[in-house]
Amino acid sequence: MTPFGDDSPVYVISVAAELSGLHPQTLRTYDRMGLVSPGRTSGRGRRYSMRDIVLLREIQRLSQDEGINLAGIRQILDLQREAEALRSEVLRLRALVEEMGNELESTRAVAARLARLKNTPESAGGAELVPIRQTSVVVWRARGEE
């Protein structure tokens, strides 16, 4: 097993070209267009990660098999990155909503306990408690999103 992850920029352009099945000049073109952004050495040499190579293969598939031009591929990749960022944000917000719901339930439990204590003989003459009304948290989801 390699000590490097999928994002580790370890492959020089000739190896990346061989692994992706593309010409090195094609990799340079894709880099200039911003379709793939390989890491750089201190001498500015390109270093590709396994994730970059998988992306290069996908770009080639979209171009050759699907007949999509490079501008269309760039748009597809941008939308895929945006969708992934939005999925991550949705997961983060769902966790936050769940946490807030748990806090709300805990607060309601404390309020109910305080209300019960208020009605005991020992609490006669004590300060008044403010009742807690029922509230709800609503999460909006676009159609088709689950």
Side-chain angles (χ1 to χ4, degrees), residues 11 33 50 68 72 96 99 103 118 123 126-127 139:
Y11 301 105
M33 293 182 70
M50 186 50 70
I68 301 171
L96 182 61
E99 182 182 329
E103 279 188 41
K118 177 185 176 226
S123 66
V139 177

Side-chain angles (χ1 to χ4, degrees), residues 53-82:
I53 292 167
V54 169
L55 181 57
L56 288 166
R57 289 176 183 160
E58 178 64 6
I59 292 167
Q60 187 69 2
R61 186 193 69 76
L62 289 170
S63 175
Q64 297 299 310
D65 298 348
E66 305 294 332
I68 301 171
N69 65 25
L70 294 179
I73 292 171
R74 182 193 339 245
Q75 187 69 20
I76 289 168
L77 296 176
D78 288 346
L79 290 171
Q80 286 176 339
R81 282 188 279 271
E82 184 178 344

